[in-house]
Structures are given as C-alpha cells and as structure tokens.
Amino acid sequence: MQPTDIQNPNYFHKVVDCQWACPAHTPVPEYIRLIAQERYTEAYMLNWDSNVFPGILGRTCDRPCEPACRRVRTEEKPVAICRLKRVAADNKGDVSDYMPRVPAVKNGKRIALIGAGPASLAVARDLLPLGYEVHLFEKDPYGGGMMRSQIPAFRLPIEVLDEEVNQILDMGVVCHFGEEITSMKAMLDMGFDAYFIGTGAPRGRDLDLPGRSEVDDFIHIGIDWLSSVAFGHIDAIEGKVIVMGGGNTAMDCCRTSLRLGAESVNVVVRSAFDVMKASEWEKEDAMREGIPIINNRPPKEFVHENGKLKGIVFECVEPVEENGRLKYVPSGEPDVFMEVDHVLMAIGQDNHCPWIERDIGLEFDKWDCPVLDEITFQSTNPKVFFGGDSAFGPENIIWASAHAHQAAISIHLMCEGKDLKADRPPEGVNLISTKMGMHEWAYDAAHDASGRNLVPLVAQEAALDDVKVEVELGFDQVLGAAEAQRCLNCDVQTVFTENLCIECDACVDICPMDCITFTGNAEEGDLRKRLTAPAPNAEQDLYVSEDLPTARVMVKDEDVCLHCGLCAERCPTNAWDMQRSVVHVPQLGSFAE
Amino acid sequence: MTFVAKPRTHHPLLPVNELGLTRRDYEGSVSTLCAGCGHDSVSAAIVQACAELSIPPHRFAKVSGIGCSSKTPSYFLNKSHGLNSVHGRMPSVMTGANLANRDLYCVGVSGDGDSASIGMGQFAHIVRRRINMLYVVDNNGTYGLTKGQFSATNDKGSTSKKGAPNLYEPIDLASMALQLGASFVARSFSGDKQQLVPLIKAALVHKGMAFIDVISPCVAFNNHNGSTKSYEHIRQHGQNVVNADYIADHEEITADYEPGTFEDVSMPDGSTLRLFKIDENYDPHDRVSALNYVQRRGQEGEVVTGLLYVDPDASDCHEILDTVQRPLNELQETDLCPGNDALQAVNESFR
Ligand SMILES: Cc1cc2nc3c(=O)[nH]c(=O)nc-3n(C[C@H](O)[C@H](O)[C@H](O)COP(=O)(O)OP(=O)(O)OC[C@H]3O[C@@H](n4cnc5c(N)ncnc54)[C@H](O)[C@@H]3O)c2cc1C
Ligand SMILES: Cc1ncc(C[n+]2csc(CCOP(=O)(O)OP(=O)(O)O)c2C)c(N)n1
Ligand code: SF4
Ligand code: SF4
Ligand code: SF4
Ligand SMILES: [Mg+2]
C-alpha cells in the first residue's frame, strides 16, 4: 500500500466517525469535552456554528453520528451524542456575546430566501454577518418550517424552537411572513442578486385503493394532519385510528393520535419491522407508549358502508431474501380485516413546486426534483439555489443545515464574481500535540467502559395526557458528565513519525485493541489479513507508514482504536504522538474562523 | 512508568483458547519499565505463548531474581503463582517450587547481571540438575536497574553510553547452557516475536531444562551506536540458524514445505516442533558441534539465533531422582509416615 497521506484533511476527519457522519460535520468530541468541563455555553456555540439548531437537534436530530460512533464497534452502544447536544443547550448561559456581529452598513447585495424552514434560516445566518440584505418569504405566519408544522411539541417544545428561530430572525432578516409565493417568474422580476429555495417537500403521498374516494372524510394525509394539530386547527381524534406507513411521520402520527383521545391506535406497515424507515428509537418510543406496530400487511381495500369507513382489508405477506434484497410473497394466511374510524396516511412525501414555471430556464428531473449541482446547489438558473428537502427530496434538519452552508458559500462566491467551484475554500486540518509532559496529556485519555446512560422520561400518564408535554427530560448535568466520559476522543489522533521509530514493538505490545502491526508491505486485501488482529472492516482505513529501516512498514488499523494514548505513552522516542485534529469545514460567517 | 491504565476492552475478534480465555486474560499489571524496554516484549511473548497453549494460569509458576528483567513476572500472568526472590537466587527458589510440585509449568526470568554475575553458580547448577523449567534471560548486556554498568555478557570493545570501552571477554550464557547439559537451548531477540513465541511454546512443553537467551535491548543505557546489544546491532548481526514452528497436536499441519527442508520433532505433549534449518550444515541435535558453531560465528561478530539445540527425549530432575508421579506437595501424612511396620521393613533391608 502507499504510505498514508495524513495531510489530506479527509484522512483524520474520517477517523472522527461521528464528525464524518454528521452532514454538517459538527466537531462532536470537542463539544463533548467542553460539556465534561462544564463549559456549556462554549459547547453550545461550537454546535451552533456547525449545525445552527443545537437545542432543536439535541432533541430531534436523526443522529447519523450515533450508528457511526466508534463505540458501536468497541462495545455496542454509541455515545448519546444527540442528547449531549441538548445538555449543552439546556445548560448554556447568555450566548448573545458569542453571536456574530452583523454589520449595520450592508454590502449592497439582496438575497431572497423562499420558505422559512431550517434550510433558509441557516442560509440567512451564514449570509447576514457578511452584510447581505436577506429577505425571507414564508406562506405561514411563523418561521421554522416543518420543525414547527410537523415535529410534535411532545418532542420539541415550542419555546426551544422559538428561541433558535428567533436567534436568526433577530440578526436582521427582513421577514415576509404570510406571503405565499405563487410565481417564480415574478420573484425573478424583483431583481434579487440571488434566490434560495427552501420550500421543503410538502406533498404527502396518498394511496389509491378500491374504496378510497368514497371515504375521503376519514382519510387524512399524515403531514397535513400533523400541521393542523401543530397550528391548533385539530385538537381531537375519535374512535379507532390506523396509521399506515413505517417512517418517522407514522411514529409522530400514532403518538399524536394517542394524545388527542383516540380509542385505539395501530400502526400497520407493508414491510418488515427491521426495514422500516423510522429510526430505532422512534419505534421504541411508540411501542413504549403501548402502540402496536403490525408488519408485513399491505392494504388491499377500504371497506365502507353508507359513505362511512368501516375498516381496511390487509393482505398477509412474508419477506424472503432474494439476491440480498427483500421480496414479499403471500404468507398463506387469510386476509385480515381491521375496523377503523380514521386513517392517517404516512407513506412518504414528494417535492412539489407548481409555483415554479417550467419555462424560466429552471429544469426539473423526472422525479420533479430540480436539476442541481451537488456541490454548489446551483440550479440551471445561475441565480437560483436550492437546499433542504426541496433539493433532493425529504431528508431532515441536519441535512438542511449542511446544504445551507454550501449554498451560502455559493451565493457569496457568485455575488463576489468568483467561480463557484474553483474558488471554493478547501477543507483543511490542523494537528496539535496534546502532550503536556512525561505522562500528561491535554485530554482525558483514560478509557471509561461504562454503558450508555438512559435519558429520564416524564411519567407516562402525564405525557399521554397533553400533546405539549415533552416526553424526554434530558440528561441533567451529572448524567451529562457521566455520558461525556464515554466519548473516546476520536479527534485526538495517533500520529506516527517514521524516522523516530526504533521498531522496539512497545506500542504493539501495549495496545489494548491490537491496532498496530509492523510487517512487510502488501496490497490492502492481503495486508488486512496479516495484521496483529484481522481488519475485516474495509470501511475503516489502514494507516500505513513509509518503509522503516527493517524494510517493514507500520500498519495501524483505525477501526477499533480507543484513542487511549497508550502507544504514545509507551513509545520511547515519541514516534507516536497524540495530536488533536481540528478539521476546517469551510463555512461562511463562522464564529470560529 | 505509564499512568494511563490499560483498558480491559479488547479487540472484538480476539480469539479465545481452549479454556475460554483470551490473550488479555494472561496479562499482568502494566509495566513500570522504561518505555521501549525489550523486556516488555519478552513478557508479551510469554503472554501470547501461554494463551496459545491454553495453560491454566493456576498451574503456572514464575520466579525471578533482581533487576529490571526480574521485575517482569509482575507484568504477565497475574493469576499465576510467583515470587520475586533475591539477586541471583531465582534458581534455588525455582528448584524448590519444581520439586514440590512437578505439575507446574515453571518459568524463571532472570537478567544477564542476575545470571552471569551474582547468580552464576546458581545458573550453572540448576542447568546441570535439569530442573523441568523454562529459564529465560533478558539479556541486555547491562545492569539496567542500577543505571547501566557493564554486565558480564557485554562484548569486549562494546562501549558504555558515554563511550568507555568494555575491557573484558563476554560470558555467553547459551554456550554455557549447552556445555552444562541443558536439553533445550535457544537464543532469540525481543524484537522478533515471530521467532520468539514458538520458541517459548516449545520450551514450555519441553521436558527438562529449557534455556532461552533473549537479547533484549535496554533503551535507557545500552541502545547506542557503540553497543552490540542495541535494536539496530542485533537487526544487522542476528543470524537465524534454525527456525522452529510449534504445531499443537490438534492443529492440522497445513503449510506445504518442500520435503527435506524441515525436520519434525515430537514433543512430550503430542505436539510437533517443525525445524527449518537455515544453514544446512547445522545439526541441532549435536551438542558439541552446536557449541562450536555458536562460538565460531560469535567470534565473527554474528549473533546466532533460533533453536540451537534440542534433545526431546532427555530426562529431567524428577526422572533422575526417581520421584513419585504425584506432586510432593500433595503427599499426605499417611503417605509420608506409613507407620512402624514400613519403617521396620526399610530398616530390615539394610541389615
Ligand atoms: C412528521 C415529520 C417529522 C419529522 N421529524 C423530524 C425530526 O425529528 N428530526 C429531523 O431532523 N427531521 C424531521 N423531519 C424532517 C424535517 O422536518 C425536514 O427535513 C426539514 O424541516 C426540511 O427543512 P427545509 O428547510 O428544507 O423545509 P421545510 O422545513 O419543509 O420548510 C419549508 C417552508 O417553506 C414554506 N413554503 C413552502 N412553499 C412555499 C411557498 N410557495 N411560498 C412560501 N413559503 C412556502 C413552508 O410553509 C415551510 O415553512 C420530520 C418531517 C416530518 C414530516
Ligand atoms: C545482593 C545484591 N547485590 C547487588 C544488588 C544491586 N543490583 C540490583 S539489580 C542489579 C543488576 C541487574 O542486572 P540484570 O540482571 O542484567 O537486570 P537488568 O536490570 O539489566 O534487566 C544489581 C547489581 C542487589 N539488588 N542485590
Ligand atoms: S491509542 Fe494507541 S494504544 Fe490506544 S487503542 Fe489506539 S493504537 Fe492502541
Ligand atoms: S513504541 Fe515507538 S519506537 Fe517502538 S515500535 Fe512503536 S512507534 Fe516505534
Ligand atoms: S533501565 Fe533498561 S532494562 Fe531497565 S527498564 Fe529501562 S530500558 Fe529496560
Ligand atoms: Mg541486564
């Protein structure tokens, strides 16, 4: 193998599994250390800088970081990264002094943002400190997008949402709330220097089955129903409720129904439990509240009588694996009939922009998604950018923030007359030694083997009684500190210096995880089998040195390294050093830059 | 010294042995030796060998003298029996342990100072008595613990860290062991576990006195340019003569080497020791020619390593003394004092 190029910013970035997996590349271990030091405000700001909505995300994030967490590979349960974010938000002090300054004198460029969801809000936050005049158009009377209209208050209290939305609006956004945009052509005629479209994926899917049209009054599109609940138009649901669908929207629909007085609630899913789109924890939350999830039941028809819905007939199938993919075949059981009064349809969302004329040079693909450059988020109209759910279909808040950072960079480059790709700021990495003395490191290297802490919950009766009672109480400072200790500090990197190594094997002998090997070089596949411990996880890199005097190379498997620093402690020559990597993910208006 | 405690967490694919233990279960406390000391690698090799042999830790006895090397039994097999004895006196204590319980795997760890100076007499006699044990010398050519004086194994002309030359001829413990009747003699290097681990495994199952001289550099006092026991010097001048591959009896012998390039030696526990001669003219069963070879190559500045000599059918002390099969420490009062009639019978036999 070629020697590893550790100057490539991606190399060590990838070792920080959580940060790498986070779409906005939040520096997770660094904020966790700040929490351990009770520096909640700094921890909050570090988050705010990358992901814009720490209080909201600390409760609702899809947490792609957690399945990626190294701890999953070393002992099963990831660090509760998301809930630690909430600890920072819950315990922070006054953040106003940390907020970026917004110049009073503007730079003369006017930007229009359409839709006030997280994507547009994050673009606004990035552009305002640079002096842009930012106009935000939103059809609803409030900002927040689906964070307000969809995510139920029992998961995200309104105050938390308002605080973080207002933080941005208060930076000087010119708000045009209650204004639905009905023509992009007209928008373009207004002569803004750039446009960002963050209108989300607002159309909930329906299911055309026999009987569907006759029972319209009893069938509700999940996301429309949830927003009616959020805006107070609906405050009750009666009788037996069936939620169709297996994603997160289904979980929110069923839990909301339970709180609004449904006599019974069942979730019925056409596919198997394990492949449901909903996150593991959302399924757990629903089941803990006593909601049955019934799998492998595709619906066949709506049964009605005198214009009233009676029930649904479901077919019974079972999954079989075929060429690594699941296929559903009839299980042989007879069809089942389930009585129902209301159906909530939560089977997916689509992009839908009927207000964008198709003759203005703005192309859409066959799925009705805009044709975009995946790096710049620029559409085929150079002045128009997309981000969030409107870009590539429904995702989540953290992706919306990530898209927004990139789109904001593009808008800025365009306004400066620069090339959106060639002039894009590169990623970078700084490495800072953590060695303080003979056996002193600037991080807590000792390994804490304790299991994941559980988040305390409010009493269930209280939770089910009121749709606005937040279910999770969050970690208090003590639990937060305990959970913070579980972080392995993956950003404190093992950095190897060939010409210092005397090949004494001390590091090989001490490493608790058998990460290090000195051996003859070979092709990766071969090398992976010949290491001190086999390295079958090809997703994790091998760190390979230049040739050493014995013609061998040092090979370190990054897979399960605990970042415990013992290799560096036991190295007589400092050939190993523990260095903190600071990954620079380009971003505008960043307070850390 | 290391202050970060070694985590108990281990690699998820770490194999378990026949006793259900992993290699990590054979470790001791974290070493207090200098970072980079060769002795730690020898300890790691012992840990690996014992784990691979599935040795029950409670049947393992480790005894040492005084020195950095003699501290190392604390750093392996912390669930076994051990005694850190007096300078140069490991052999007496080990002899006692082995005589009292012949079922123990006995491992004595000593240093070149401990064995070639103050303990020279003890070394000579335990080898001669063929105690069934593995005698390991962590040989660094210096008194590490007392800050770097030349030891008796230090080569003439080799220098101290400050440049003063050593004026005396070295004692070669491997040659002495050959001469004194050890039935398994090897030399190895702490920096070459591929060679060292199979040698330790073979030595542990060997019946009789097994001696391994392990060149084990002292990073603090004897790893400089003028040293002949530095990592670099041994890497340049080490001459492997016979490679040994230890194959447990349940293991399939898979590697298909050309016939004639190796010799299989049956070990007492049913395992096989496969010997690969690097030098065709070398005979690892001829004590005198082995001695000759080691000495001659030594004079040329080479350090001969590998399995130098093995006699798989040799007898050990218990056989020579014709002791009972049951370990002596298990004999009860009734066994030891069979009563007046028995005494009379013995007395009668002398009349
Ligand atoms: C039920 C449900 C639960 C969810 N739960 C989570 C969760 O827990 N965690 C998570 O990360 N994500 C969750 N999501 C997804 C998340 O809400 C979205 O991915 C995210 O809000 C997308 O942000 P956005 O800025 O792209 O658009 P949106 O949040 O959809 O905002 C778009 C805004 O544009 C406005 N708009 C649309 N068209 C026009 C127009 N023509 N003129 C003016 N304004 C317009 C809309 O009113 C809306 O305010 C959930 C989604 C649903 C449906
Ligand atoms: C009776 C006695 N004499 C002298 C000493 C001092 N002393 C301690 S260790 C040592 C030499 C150790 O050298 P070696 O056996 O080579 O061990 P190393 O530290 O090199 O591994 C000496 C002379 C002592 N502890 N006891
Ligand atoms: S930090 Fe070093 S010693 Fe610790 S697990 Fe990683 S490679 Fe091994
Ligand atoms: S401990 Fe240091 S000098 Fe020794 S082999 Fe490892 S990196 Fe090289
Ligand atoms: S002084 Fe030498 S022998 Fe002793 S621990 Fe240090 S390196 Fe090892
Ligand atoms: Mg010594």
Side-chain angles (χ1 to χ4, degrees):
Chain A
M1 284 179 75
Q2 289 296 313
T4 302
D5 175 15
I6 60 167
Q7 297 307 318
N8 177 345
N10 281 348
Y11 183 74
F12 282 137
H13 187 176
K14 210 174 149 199
V15 173
V16 195
D17 296 289
C18 45
Q19 186 175 10
W20 181 254
C22 174
H25 302 307
T26 306
V28 174
E30 179 69 12
Y31 85 66
I32 292 184
R33 277 192 298 272
L34 289 169
I35 290 171
Q37 295 161 21
E38 300 175 23
R39 291 164 64 191
Y40 303 110
T41 310
E42 286 100 322
Y44 179 84
M45 287 313 296
L46 202 63
N47 269 291
W48 189 80
D49 191 41
S50 307
N51 55 48
V52 196
F53 306 102
I56 297 170
L57 287 166
R59 293 165 165 84
T60 63
C61 190
D62 241 13
R63 354 173 181 162
C65 52
E66 291 194 14
C69 175
R70 179 175 302 264
R71 218 132 169 148
V72 175
R73 306 194 297 274
T74 63
E75 61 230 276
E76 288 183 12
K77 289 269 186 201
V79 174
I81 300 170
C82 180
R83 277 13 182 196
L84 283 171
K85 206 187 299 299
R86 173 172 172 183
V87 171
D90 286 358
N91 293 285
K92 68 179 183 304
D94 180 9
V95 293
S96 49
D97 283 349
Y98 291 84
M99 288 291 157
R101 303 273 164 264
V102 177
V105 181
K106 300 295 168 192
N107 68 6
K109 304 280 184 191
R110 293 164 66 246
I111 315 296
L113 314 178
I114 307 173
S120 292
L121 289 168
V123 173
R125 194 220 49 184
D126 281 3
L127 290 177
L128 284 164
L130 293 164
Y132 287 92
E133 187 180 312
V134 175
H135 291 257
L136 180 57
F137 298 87
E138 165 61 51
K139 73 170 160 55
D140 287 335
Y142 320 92
M146 288 196 170
M147 302 191 295
R148 187 181 302 277
S149 65
Q150 298 298 318
I151 303 180
F154 60 83
R155 288 205 290 125
L156 175 61
I158 309 294
E159 313 80 66
V160 176
L161 175 70
D162 281 344
E163 180 185 351
E164 290 186 336
V165 170
N166 291 339
Q167 245 164 23
I168 296 171
L169 299 182
D170 293 348
M171 286 169 78
V173 178
V174 185
C175 295
H176 306 265
F177 285 175
E179 267 183 49
E180 177 159 5
I181 304 303
T182 51
S183 160
M184 189 62 202
K185 203 182 227 155
M187 268 318 282
L188 289 170
D189 289 344
M190 287 164 80
F192 282 94
D193 292 284
Y195 297 82
F196 177 81
I197 299 181
T199 48
R203 191 161 69 168
R205 287 195 196 138
D206 201 349
L207 202 58
D208 191 21
L209 289 179
R212 167 69 186 84
S213 53
E214 288 85 343
V215 290
D216 215 31
D217 289 351
F218 310 97
I219 297 191
H220 317 275
I221 299 299
I223 62 170
D224 298 339
W225 185 79
L226 282 173
S227 70
S228 300
V229 174
F231 292 124
H233 308 316
I234 289 180
D235 58 8
I237 188 164
E238 278 160 17
K240 302 185 179 69
V241 175
I242 286 181
V243 177
M244 302 229 274
N248 290 342
T249 303
M251 299 303 118
D252 283 339
C253 285
C254 68
R255 295 177 72 195
T256 303
S257 307
L258 202 60
R259 285 160 172 78
L260 295 194
E263 178 190 322
S264 74
V265 184
N266 281 289
V267 177
V268 186
V269 192
R270 60 187 320 142
S271 57
F273 186 81
D274 290 344
V275 299
M276 282 167 63
K277 285 238 174 71
S279 336
E280 222 38 61
W281 54 88
E282 302 231 38
K283 294 194 269 187
E284 279 167 20
D285 289 342
M287 291 185 315
R288 194 180 39 238
E289 292 177 357
I291 301 170
I293 298 179
I294 303 165
N295 293 90
N296 303 318
R297 298 282 181 271
K300 262 179 129 170
E301 72 167 296
F302 295 106
V303 181
H304 52 91
E305 223 178 77
N306 309 328
K308 176 145 177 22
L309 177 64
K310 287 269 145 198
I312 309 174
V313 179
F314 293 95
E315 199 188 332
C316 296
V317 295
E318 62 188 7
V320 285
E321 217 181 284
E322 209 181 79
N323 307 327
R325 298 192 62 185
L326 277 192
K327 218 182 93 180
Y328 292 87
V329 296
S331 70
E333 299 155 79
D335 290 350
V336 267
F337 171 78
M338 288 179 77
E339 276 186 38
V340 64
D341 297 304
H342 290 278
V343 176
L344 297 176
M345 209 56 103
I347 54 171
Q349 286 157 258
D350 289 313
N351 287 38
H352 188 54
C353 306
W355 52 278
I356 301 180
E357 294 83 352
R358 302 295 141 126
D359 60 353
I360 52 171
L362 218 163
E363 286 171 35
F364 284 78
D365 64 17
K366 60 179 170 193
W367 297 280
D368 221 21
C369 283
V371 174
L372 297 181
D373 183 297
E374 284 184 21
I375 292 166
T376 65
F377 291 83
Q378 192 176 38
S379 71
T380 49
N381 179 327
K383 285 196 165 186
V384 182
F385 299 80
F386 283 75
D389 287 359
S390 73
F392 309 116
E395 287 276 2
N396 50 41
I397 303 167
I398 189 67
W399 271 111
S401 308
H403 290 174
H405 293 319
Q406 293 308 318
I409 291 174
S410 300
I411 291 171
H412 180 56
L413 288 171
M414 192 190 65
C415 290
E416 300 248 291
K418 294 193 176 138
D419 188 274
L420 266 50
K421 279 199 174 141
D423 296 324
R424 243 182 153 66
E427 282 206 4
V429 61
N430 277 4
L431 292 170
I432 305 146
S433 179
T434 59
K435 196 172 175 73
M436 311 253 292
M438 273 296 274
H439 301 288
E440 271 183 278
W441 303 97
Y443 75 108
D444 194 354
H447 178 66
D448 182 340
S450 11
R452 181 175 164 119
N453 292 284
L454 295 177
V455 178
L457 305 177
V458 84
Q460 200 164 78
E461 309 86 79
L464 297 186
D465 208 36
D466 182 350
V467 79
K468 290 208 165 68
V469 169
E470 188 174 18
V471 172
E472 290 193 6
L473 297 171
F475 289 140
D476 59 14
Q477 294 192 1
V478 175
L479 273 175
E483 188 61 25
Q485 285 305 316
R486 297 183 67 236
C487 174
L488 296 172
N489 301 290
C490 298
D491 61 341
V492 181
Q493 308 284 352
T494 55
V495 179
F496 183 74
T497 310
E498 285 82 353
N499 56 16
L500 292 177
C501 175
I502 57 170
E503 299 181 61
C504 70
D505 274 2
C507 52
V508 178
D509 294 337
I510 196 72
C511 176
M513 303 305 279
D514 296 321
C515 301
I516 305 170
T517 310
F518 289 84
T519 181
N521 205 342
E523 285 308 312
E524 179 164 350
D526 183 16
L527 213 45
R528 282 186 175 275
K529 291 188 209 115
R530 286 204 277 113
L531 303 180
T532 312
N537 183 1
E539 277 174 24
Q540 292 284 322
D541 286 335
L542 297 182
Y543 180 178
V544 182
S545 74
E546 305 268 357
D547 283 351
L548 294 164
T550 55
R552 300 182 299 174
V553 285
M554 184 292 300
V555 185
K556 184 200 163 202
D557 178 13
E558 298 283 9
D559 190 17
V560 289
C561 169
L562 298 175
H563 296 254
C564 65
L566 276 168
C567 47
E569 281 265 305
R570 294 303 293 168
C571 176
T573 64
N574 291 344
W576 283 114
D577 189 20
M578 301 306 292
Q579 300 186 0
R580 184 162 69 88
S581 60
V582 181
V583 180
H584 296 280
V585 183
Q587 201 175 297
L588 296 180
S590 160
F591 92 108
E593 297 288 312
Chain B
M1 262 310 267
T2 293
F3 289 92
V4 177
K6 184 165 177 172
R8 292 297 308 154
T9 309
H10 60 69
H11 194 284
L13 299 177
L14 193 62
V16 288
N17 65 15
E18 288 163 27
L19 303 176
L21 302 176
T22 71
R23 196 186 71 236
R24 297 292 306 282
D25 296 318
Y26 287 81
E27 288 180 346
S29 36
V30 172
S31 172
T32 57
L33 300 183
C34 301
C37 177
H39 301 354
D40 283 335
S41 291
V42 183
S43 302
I46 293 173
V47 164
Q48 191 181 334
C50 291
E52 288 176 7
L53 288 176
S54 300
I55 289 181
H58 68 275
R59 280 192 51 209
F60 189 93
K62 49 185 188 183
V63 178
S64 63
I66 296 292
C68 298
S69 36
S70 293
K71 287 172 73 177
T72 64
S74 297
Y75 315 138
F76 58 82
L77 276 95
N78 63 352
K79 298 205 170 63
S80 64
H81 308 280
L83 191 84
N84 187 193
S85 76
V86 191
H87 203 13
R89 267 60 180 170
M90 173 274 280
S92 311
V93 179
M94 190 89 264
T95 303
N98 180 262
L99 286 182
N101 184 355
R102 63 184 298 164
D103 282 353
L104 290 175
Y105 288 92
C106 291
V107 173
V109 181
S110 175
D112 44 328
D114 199 57
S115 283
S117 293
I118 192 169
M120 192 66 190
Q122 297 244 324
F123 165 74
H125 288 287
I126 197 171
V127 174
R128 184 176 158 271
R129 282 183 184 140
R130 301 189 169 190
I131 297 300
N132 182 14
M133 71 176 292
L134 162 60
Y135 192 129
V136 178
V137 169
D138 291 347
N139 185 355
N140 54 14
T142 190
Y143 295 176
L145 192 70
T146 53
K147 305 277 174 277
Q149 301 82 358
F150 289 131
S151 79
T153 65
N154 195 289
D155 289 315
K156 191 174 173 190
S158 146
T159 70
S160 73
K161 205 173 173 180
K162 291 225 166 120
N166 173 25
L167 306 173
Y168 300 105
E169 288 293 338
I171 290 174
D172 178 18
L173 291 169
S175 298
M176 288 195 71
L178 279 169
Q179 199 268 318
L180 291 163
S183 46
F184 180 113
V185 181
R187 178 148 49 214
S188 190
F189 170 42
S190 66
D192 184 359
K193 279 202 203 65
Q194 263 175 346
Q195 183 190 56
L196 180 55
V197 173
L199 286 175
I200 292 175
K201 285 162 81 174
L204 281 166
V205 300
H206 175 78
K207 185 161 60 64
M209 167 53 68
F211 177 78
I212 309 182
D213 177 28
V214 190
I215 313 290
S216 170
C218 169
V219 279
F221 301 110
N222 203 15
N223 194 39
H224 44 269
N225 285 340
S227 163
T228 56
K229 298 229 172 0
S230 65
Y231 283 107
E232 206 177 325
H233 186 91
I234 299 301
R235 289 211 162 96
Q236 277 163 10
H237 298 273
Q239 264 302 323
N240 192 358
V241 49
V242 177
N243 254 338
D245 200 358
Y246 177 88
I247 305 161
D249 60 348
H250 57 83
E251 266 173 297
E252 218 184 314
I253 306 183
T254 48
D256 50 335
Y257 300 101
E258 265 181 54
T261 58
F262 62 86
E263 178 206 331
D264 283 344
V265 177
S266 303
M267 301 300 279
D269 67 339
S271 60
T272 305
L273 200 56
R274 180 162 283 192
L275 304 182
F276 301 90
K277 285 194 250 177
I278 312 293
D279 185 337
E280 259 178 50
N281 301 319
Y282 192 85
D283 180 1
H285 305 301
D286 182 342
R287 194 182 284 280
V288 178
S289 74
L291 189 54
N292 242 320
Y293 187 95
V294 170
Q295 285 286 310
R296 176 143 309 126
R297 297 299 285 270
Q299 275 190 342
E300 291 159 10
E302 303 292 350
V303 183
V304 177
T305 65
L307 184 65
L308 305 179
Y309 175 76
V310 60
D311 174 2
D313 305 318
S315 49
D316 80 324
C317 187
H318 279 281
E319 265 172 9
I320 295 168
L321 295 177
D322 196 19
T323 55
V324 286
Q325 285 302 315
R326 251 167 84 198
L328 300 185
N329 69 342
E330 283 177 18
L331 298 181
Q332 305 300 316
E333 197 180 336
T334 47
D335 301 316
L336 297 169
C337 304
N340 197 29
D341 290 351
L343 178 63
Q344 294 311 327
V346 172
N347 283 345
E348 205 53 45
S349 73
F350 287 113
R351 287 194 211 274

